[in-house]
Amino acid sequence: MPTSCIDVMQDEAGTAAIKTIELDTMLGGRAVQHREPQGYESDKFLSYFKPCIIPMEGGFASGFKKPEEEKFETRLYICKGKRAIRVKEVPFSRSSLNHDDVFILDTEKKIYQFNGANSNIQERAKALEVIQHLKEKYHDGVCNVAIVDDGKLQAESDSGEFWVLFGGFAPIGKKATSDDDVVLETTAPKLYSINNGQLKLEDIVLTKSILENNKCFLLDCGAELFVWVGRVTQVEDRKTASAAVEKFIIKENRPKTTRITQVIQGYENHTFKSKFESWPVSNTAGNASTEEGRIKVTALLKQKGVDVKGISKSSAPVNDEVPPLLDGGGKPEVWCINGSAKTALPKEELGKFYSGDCYIVLYTYHSGDKKEEFYLTYWIGKHSLQEDQEMVFQMTNTLWNSMKGRPVLGRIYQGKEPPQFVALFQPMVILKGGISSGYKKFVEEKGLKDETYCADGIALIRVSGTSVHNNKTLQVDAVSMSLSSTDCFILQSKNAMFIWIGNSSSYEQQQWAGKVAEFLKPGVAVKHCKEGTENSTFWSAIGGKQNYTSKNVSTDVGIREPHLYTFSLRNGKLEVTEVFNFSQDDLLTEDTMILDTHSEVFVWMGQGVETKEKQKAFEIGEKYVEHAVAFEGISPDVPLYKVIEGNEPCFFRTYFSWDSTRSVIHGNSFEKKLSVLFGMRSEGGPKSSGDGGPTQRASALAALSSALNPSSQGKQSDERPPSSGDGGHTQRASAMAALSSSINTSSKSQTQSHSGQGSQRAAAVAALSNVLTAEGSHSPHHSRASPTADAAKTELAPASPPSEIEPDGTEDGRTEPDVSQEQTANENGGQTIFSYERLISKSTDPVSGIDYKRRETYLADSEFQTVFGMTKEEFYEQPRWKQELQKKKADLF
């Protein structure tokens, strides 16, 4: 991915291009290549350099002189972008300011953010991340921060100080149009074939079948150009195609800053595929990715002289990783749709679902110390009526509205039940037919045979999965062809009950089959028969003995990387834009986002989204699913969820490094970020009207955490000399003032206070008081006489975030093995560290006595670094899904 600096020498730019080709060759010619001009970088490129890139003058290559380290210089920056932010230094002059953008003025003792009156709220929020970066990098993490709002001049405030630096207040002019403001328009895609350096327009409907594997093509989308390279094209053909595209840019008078992306057949990104009318997707990507990862790790170990003979493709059982599940001990309620009404199921029937019916499921539970949480879904049977499907949606949505949007709301189709849903029922059994009046009437009118399960009839039920999240059992046709040697089956024949045990089934399946039989017919006597020992009564009940399968039916359970999207609707068509390397910060309270994990789709809506728009969540989700079915190969029946900000369930949070404390902070994106990073409130924001309490307390908590954990004070700047100011006492005073304000506000606004909250505040004051007392006895500096005066300054160091708690209760995503080191050592002659080739799931010399879900923990630190390209600490700081994806690629899953 070469990046073109605006002032870079031509020979250096050429060298970068050549080195990119060489690197691509080393990677097997499969890398997607991007040309990224300075100042016009793509969002994907910028996402690798969070929070931003700040280009420095000069250069380190042969053609430029290295910039000299010199005295601190005041700088003015302009910031643009809602998620991937672009920062550019502009002249330190009033004429650089305007009413439409956000600016940062970095002085030696204070950093100012100037918000233009017409600037975007979300750009203001992202600019705060840049301030945090500047503060850490150039001020040792200790300096004052001030927010200046355009048009709000107060002589004795930070605003007055800001304008003094520009020679005094004076009106600023309108924004002058510059090259930076020219945004190339995205046009309807045009496809050109490239033959011998000549471009030919292909004036046909764009489909995947047009692209031939021995040719190169140019896809012109106006704002961006794509060069598609067939897998069997020669290197010379690729070079010729690149030259032809450069000529095309000149001929079409496109700016030199036009982005060009080269994609290789089979490795096309979502943006490229979405330009076509259709893009059939193969299902082999997951297995190929795992094998490719294993091969890469093997090659790295060979380079280090490691014996890799033990690495084999032979299969070995791998324990299923338990996904995040809802907290147990909650209350499940289930209603079956019956015409225009719903009928509650009795407790003993919970877990029985008929394929001809639709159901509403509400699970109420407590997550930790939090208030009640709700998981609300509706389940659609494969053979249910269209009118029942419409009615179940209406009723579920009405229930969601009556609960003021607090539950996560899900749509689930039979056969695609997610782990969180299955885990609610122990067991979950899907039966034939239906019990609703609508289904009964439909069968009668059509003259169909009613196959609805009854306790006295003949039924064959397959038992395959046995884990808490994968225990679903299914009634199948009562014929011998339905049997499989890898499963257990329950045969119900009038008053008799058999458990048929396949030769390749597990002990757990046999145990679970007994539980299901008891669930269906409590107290019934069960006869067990192993495969091959069946009597005539058994075979006659299912129409006689016939051939059946003895092989396991493989399913695609591979972990796929999740994707986060923004979207827009043009002429009724959904267009999505990916947010790369996403984090919780990208969930902006004013936006609606789509998270696609391939096995589930979430429509996330911020608190700032209008109520009528929140009602359209499923409409948006359905449009996205239609889009993703065509271009990403997901199932049209994928579970679809609506999630409202502040009520995110554990199985949504697991895809982020989640900070739950942010949910108590109210306000827009800028106000929330201001509170999280600096414990401040915006002067221009709305005054407290009942919501201020939580926000104020969150700010106080951030300030207190910063005072108690001044982790950044020991850092030394290598780019600029450190600030001479000492913010320690003022910082702690600000923390005390913020905390005091929180207490006073809370006591005034509440006629009754909870003793738990009072104790918490008292403990916080005591802790801060102890710190101040202890530091006062050791500090060489004198305390300031008036802490409240200092507290008026907004100079807090960044708040240290609380330890991240993963959905399974572990900190920082790290989980210790379930098997003790002592047990592992006893079974392996005292050894607890093992080589990669013995730990992989396909090893010919596997290790015993270890926790197979945590194979990576038994690697030596040096080999861990080789396998994953990072230290163990860095690995466990990642979200859980990313850890599992990397483990799968390294065959340590």
Side-chain angles (χ1 to χ4, degrees), residues 336-343 387-388 391-392 394-395 437-438:
C336 178
I337 298 302
N338 200 3
S340 59
K342 62 181 189 290
T343 303
E387 47 265 42
D388 283 350
M391 183 58 65
V392 73
Q394 293 175 17
M395 288 188 173
S437 58

Side-chain angles (χ1 to χ4, degrees), residues 165 173 186 236 416 420 482 507 561 634 712 723 747 756 828 849:
L165 295 170
T186 299
E236 289 303 317
K416 290 295 180 179
Q420 298 77 25
S482 298
Y507 174 75
E561 189 168 342
I634 72 170
S712 60
S723 171
S747 62
N828 293 277

Side-chain angles (χ1 to χ4, degrees), residues 93-129:
S93 168
R94 183 189 290 109
S95 61
S96 297
L97 303 174
N98 62 64
H99 301 291
D100 300 316
D101 292 315
V102 179
F103 295 84
I104 294 173
L105 180 62
D106 185 11
T107 70
E108 187 171 5
K109 294 185 178 181
K110 184 178 286 190
I111 304 176
Y112 298 86
Q113 176 170 322
F114 175 79
N115 297 325
N118 303 325
S119 61
N120 185 283
I121 287 291
Q122 295 167 344
E123 285 188 342
R124 297 181 188 184
K126 294 302 289 186
L128 290 172
E129 294 180 22

Side-chain angles (χ1 to χ4, degrees), residues 667-706:
N668 59 37
S669 297
F670 172 67
E671 292 165 343
K672 288 188 174 192
K673 186 60 66 68
L674 192 62
S675 179
V676 168
L677 291 182
F678 306 110
M680 296 164 54
R681 297 193 66 193
S682 171
E683 292 182 4
K687 299 299 180 182
S688 172
S689 58
D691 291 339
T695 307
Q696 217 168 10
R697 287 189 287 278
S699 301
L701 180 61
L704 177 60
S705 176
S706 176

Side-chain angles (χ1 to χ4, degrees), residues 317-510:
V318 181
N319 290 20
D320 285 339
E321 185 73 18
V322 179
L325 304 177
L326 303 176
D327 285 21
K331 177 186 176 183
E333 298 174 84
V334 181
W335 296 269
C336 178
I337 298 302
N338 200 3
S340 59
K342 62 181 189 290
T343 303
L345 298 189
K347 185 176 181 179
E348 61 273 14
E349 293 293 310
L350 297 184
K352 292 181 183 178
F353 292 83
Y354 290 83
S355 63
D357 293 333
C358 295
Y359 297 83
I360 299 173
V361 177
L362 174 64
Y363 183 65
T364 306
Y365 64 102
H366 289 81
S367 178
D369 295 331
K370 296 175 65 177
K371 57 187 178 182
E372 279 188 331
E373 294 194 26
F374 306 94
Y375 176 74
L376 176 62
T377 59
Y378 61 96
W379 184 89
I380 299 175
K382 276 187 178 178
H383 304 111
S384 59
L385 306 181
Q386 182 64 36
E387 47 265 42
D388 283 350
Q389 295 179 21
E390 294 172 358
M391 183 58 65
V392 73
F393 169 71
Q394 293 175 17
M395 288 188 173
T396 309
N397 200 49
T398 300
L399 180 57
W400 184 82
N401 287 328
S402 71
M403 301 176 75
K404 303 189 183 304
R406 287 178 59 195
V408 54
L409 176 60
R411 182 197 68 186
I412 296 171
Y413 283 104
Q414 178 185 336
K416 290 295 180 179
E417 295 85 0
Q420 298 77 25
F421 184 87
V422 176
L424 298 180
F425 307 100
Q426 303 295 315
M428 176 180 178
V429 185
I430 299 179
L431 302 169
K432 286 178 174 286
I435 58 175
S436 66
S437 58
Y439 179 82
K440 296 292 186 185
K441 182 179 179 181
F442 174 80
V443 170
E444 183 181 351
E445 289 178 349
K446 296 294 182 180
L448 302 174
K449 180 183 177 182
D450 191 350
E451 297 183 324
T452 301
Y453 168 86
C454 66
D456 299 326
I458 296 177
L460 185 64
I461 297 165
R462 185 178 67 217
V463 177
S464 47
T466 60
S467 56
V468 67
H469 62 283
N470 185 28
N471 66 70
K472 183 178 59 178
T473 58
L474 178 68
Q475 183 180 354
V476 296
D477 292 337
V479 294
S480 56
M481 291 180 64
S482 298
L483 299 174
S484 169
S485 300
T486 59
D487 294 328
C488 290
F489 288 79
I490 299 168
L491 175 60
Q492 175 188 295
S493 177
K494 297 183 179 179
N495 294 325
M497 183 80 82
F498 297 88
I499 292 182
W500 185 86
I501 303 170
N503 287 334
S504 299
S505 64
S506 67
Y507 174 75
E508 290 77 14
Q509 285 174 309
Q510 298 169 33

Side-chain angles (χ1 to χ4, degrees), residues 624-675:
Y624 173 77
V625 170
E626 291 175 9
H627 171 90
V629 166
F631 296 102
E632 298 300 326
I634 72 170
S635 167
D637 295 337
V638 64
L640 177 62
Y641 287 105
K642 171 165 67 172
V643 178
I644 303 300
E645 180 183 12
N647 297 309
E648 295 88 352
C650 61
F651 54 94
F652 176 87
R653 299 194 303 263
T654 190
Y655 295 101
F656 302 82
S657 294
W658 196 262
D659 179 4
S660 297
T661 61
R662 298 188 181 191
S663 62
V664 302
I665 303 174
H666 298 265
N668 59 37
S669 297
F670 172 67
E671 292 165 343
K672 288 188 174 192
K673 186 60 66 68
L674 192 62
S675 179

Side-chain angles (χ1 to χ4, degrees), residues 11 32 137 203 339 373 413 487 534 616 628 706 799 818 853 879:
D11 58 338
V32 177
K137 190 174 181 67
D203 191 15
E373 294 194 26
Y413 283 104
D487 294 328
E534 306 87 350
K616 298 179 181 178
S706 176
D818 294 332
K853 299 177 185 177

